[in-house]
Amino acid sequence: MRILIISSQQTFRQQVQAICLRLPDRIVSLRTAESIGQGLELALQFEAQIVFIDLTRNVEAGILAIEQLASVTNRMVVVSIDKFSTEFMSRTIRAGAREILAQPVQEDDIHQIIHKTEMLLMGNNALQPERTGKVFMCFSSKGGVGKTTLACNLAITLQQRFGENKVALIDANTEAPNIAPMLNLRPQRWLRDAIAEYRRLDSELLKELMTIHEPSGLNVLAHSGDNPLGLDFSEDQLSKILLVAKGTYDWIVVDTFPLLSSLNLSLMDLSDEILLVTEGVVPSLRSARHNLEMLKKAGYSENRIRIILNKYTAFKGNVTTELVEETLAWPIKNVIPYDVHSTIAANSGLPLVQMFPDRDVTVAIADLVDDLTGVASAPSLPENFIERQLRLIRNWLNIN
């Protein structure tokens, strides 16, 4: 559910936001705007399904805004003011408001509005584009934990599982992008091109901007390290790209910059699962614990955060999985073992899961895909010695 809150009153924004984030069993993506002009722009970019608009300080401009917001037929526009009158209610309803929200805000009122919106969308969901693709965001605020390697191989495994034009990999690491070299890609179009076209971006244009990873068929929106975006874009522009991707592909993997920034939080809002990648070493675990504390404070529920213990090796004196769980106070559902073949694959510009399909690390990534999608992989046919050697030779020579 995509929710926009427009109000110049901080208290109103905070009250509505807090109640929405406590909704059980729902993935809620939130944006807030302090001005009506900013709110109208966000409603367009964010494709808001519910708009709470507070007219306490500007009724006339608010009435005009309601008319624009309500032009999307299956959008719930909810109006609020500190002091109601019959004239105010009739004017806002004529302008297109569907619900009136009293102040101070009550939790039950918000819940009823959410329920009515769900009924509205179920009955008339063709007027706004469906955004049903699942997003898995790979994140860590510490570099070097294997986040990008995991993102690439996770996307390739999804591609192997679900086939052509069903999976996309987006490089949202705006400071140090590495997906293109890791997959040995030479893109002609980049993330910056999608940013430049975000106002008219749709599924067809997004597909044109993708680079195809020929060995797998994966669609990749790469980012160029030679021309970083820097400060020339906003969180909402990148959110629009992710929204369009959710309506274009069934599965989307996003790689990110290792910083708990407003940009990454805006992407987390649209993600179905946040894959928090860490290692069994003290600095990485301290970082992961801090990330978990911040994400919980920001309102992200436990069912949206999955800890990935990456590059794990069971040797005497190493931190055990049980100790990692105890340290983080979080269950470890997926352990990806360390394997030197990951380095070999990265240096070769070939995905590990394609180059070394019989390694334990490849099996672990396949198990992760099983857990994320609920779709088990088909059992692979065993290779004999000659078949395995021929496959390895083809991989080394990049022959498909």
Side-chain angles (χ1 to χ4, degrees):
M1 184 71 66
R2 297 187 295 277
I3 301 174
L4 172 62
I5 307 165
I6 306 173
S7 176
S8 58
Q9 298 186 92
Q10 184 179 14
T11 301
F12 179 84
R13 296 195 306 271
Q14 290 176 340
Q15 287 176 343
V16 177
Q17 185 171 1
I19 294 170
C20 290
L21 287 174
R22 289 197 297 268
L23 288 169
D25 302 323
R26 289 181 177 91
I27 294 178
V28 174
S29 302
L30 276 167
R31 294 290 186 276
T32 62
E34 297 183 26
S35 68
I36 290 174
Q38 181 191 18
L40 291 173
E41 179 73 10
L42 274 175
L44 175 64
Q45 295 178 11
F46 186 52
E47 297 178 3
Q49 296 165 309
I50 306 178
V51 179
F52 293 93
I53 180 168
D54 170 31
L55 305 189
T56 297
R57 297 182 183 175
N58 199 338
V59 174
E60 297 305 321
I63 297 294
L64 295 175
I66 291 169
E67 293 176 354
Q68 293 188 50
L69 293 168
S71 63
V72 178
T73 308
N74 59 337
R75 173 183 286 156
M76 176 70 76
V77 180
V78 183
V79 68
S80 184
I81 198 169
D82 58 347
K83 296 179 181 179
F84 282 108
S85 67
T86 303
E87 180 189 4
F88 172 82
M89 293 177 65
S90 61
R91 288 186 67 192
T92 55
I93 290 173
R94 284 199 301 269
R98 292 176 180 267
E99 292 290 331
I100 308 292
L101 180 65
Q103 296 185 24
V105 177
Q106 300 297 315
E107 189 158 346
D108 287 346
D109 293 340
I110 299 289
H111 288 178
Q112 289 179 15
I113 289 168
I114 298 290
H115 178 70
K116 289 180 180 179
T117 304
E118 290 175 336
M119 296 298 102
L120 173 68
L121 294 173
M122 287 175 61
N124 192 7
N125 61 6
L127 298 177
Q128 287 196 61
E130 285 191 284
R131 307 300 192 191
T132 56
K134 302 298 182 184
V135 176
F136 306 126
M137 175 177 170
C138 296
F139 174 74
S140 172
S141 64
K142 183 183 181 302
V145 297
K147 171 179 58 63
T148 301
T149 300
L150 178 64
C152 289
N153 284 283
L154 174 61
I156 294 291
T157 305
L158 285 164
Q159 175 67 28
Q160 292 172 333
R161 189 80 56 89
F162 295 101
E164 186 176 1
N165 294 324
K166 296 292 182 65
V167 184
L169 173 61
I170 298 177
D171 192 347
N173 187 335
T174 56
E175 300 297 329
N178 280 309
I179 282 178
M182 186 162 286
L183 295 179
N184 195 28
L185 296 175
R186 301 291 185 270
Q188 299 299 311
R189 306 294 295 272
W190 303 89
L191 178 66
R192 64 173 179 265
D193 297 305
I195 292 292
E197 301 287 353
Y198 84 98
R199 289 184 182 276
R200 68 181 190 93
L201 190 69
D202 58 14
S203 292
E204 292 304 315
L205 180 55
L206 182 61
K207 288 178 181 179
E208 291 177 11
L209 296 173
M210 290 287 179
T211 301
I212 304 300
H213 179 250
E214 296 296 343
S216 66
L218 176 68
N219 284 235
V220 181
L221 184 59
H223 176 41
S224 172
D226 297 332
N227 190 2
L229 294 173
L231 300 177
D232 296 332
F233 75 109
S234 69
E235 291 87 353
D236 297 297
Q237 289 170 331
L238 203 52
S239 295
K240 178 61 182 292
I241 293 171
L242 193 54
L243 272 173
V244 175
K246 285 171 69 74
T248 309
Y249 301 95
D250 293 345
W251 311 97
I252 304 101
V253 179
V254 181
D255 189 30
T256 54
F257 182 69
L259 181 68
L260 197 57
S261 62
S262 59
L263 170 60
N264 281 333
L265 287 172
S266 69
L267 295 177
M268 289 175 184
D269 274 353
L270 295 172
S271 299
D272 294 86
E273 287 207 44
I274 302 161
L275 308 185
L276 182 55
V277 186
T278 189
E279 290 182 277
V281 294
V282 172
S284 297
L285 294 176
R286 287 173 59 90
S287 173
R289 183 167 181 170
H290 174 72
N291 292 160
L292 286 170
E293 291 172 356
M294 292 299 100
L295 292 175
K296 286 190 288 186
K297 287 180 180 178
Y300 293 96
S301 60
E302 292 186 6
N303 63 348
R304 291 180 68 181
I305 305 171
R306 179 184 294 264
I307 300 293
I308 308 294
L309 182 57
N310 198 30
K311 300 195 289 188
Y312 182 74
T313 306
F315 59 84
K316 186 176 181 180
N318 193 22
V319 180
T320 65
T321 304
E322 292 74 20
L323 186 55
V324 171
E325 288 186 323
E326 182 180 339
T327 301
L328 300 181
W330 205 274
I332 305 297
K333 297 181 179 178
N334 299 95
V335 178
I336 311 295
Y338 172 78
D339 193 321
V340 69
H341 292 82
S342 299
T343 304
I344 295 172
N347 289 337
S348 304
L350 293 171
L352 167 74
V353 296
Q354 284 189 310
M355 194 172 187
F356 302 106
D358 51 350
R359 303 295 302 180
D360 288 345
V361 62
T362 300
V363 174
I365 293 172
D367 291 342
L368 172 60
V369 170
D370 290 351
D371 293 344
L372 292 173
T373 65
V375 179
S377 57
S380 57
L381 296 174
E383 291 180 306
N384 60 39
F385 177 79
I386 294 176
E387 289 172 334
R388 182 174 184 274
Q389 295 305 312
L390 288 173
R391 174 177 53 77
L392 292 175
I393 291 171
R394 286 196 300 270
N395 284 336
W396 279 111
L397 296 177
N398 200 18
I399 299 173
N400 299 315

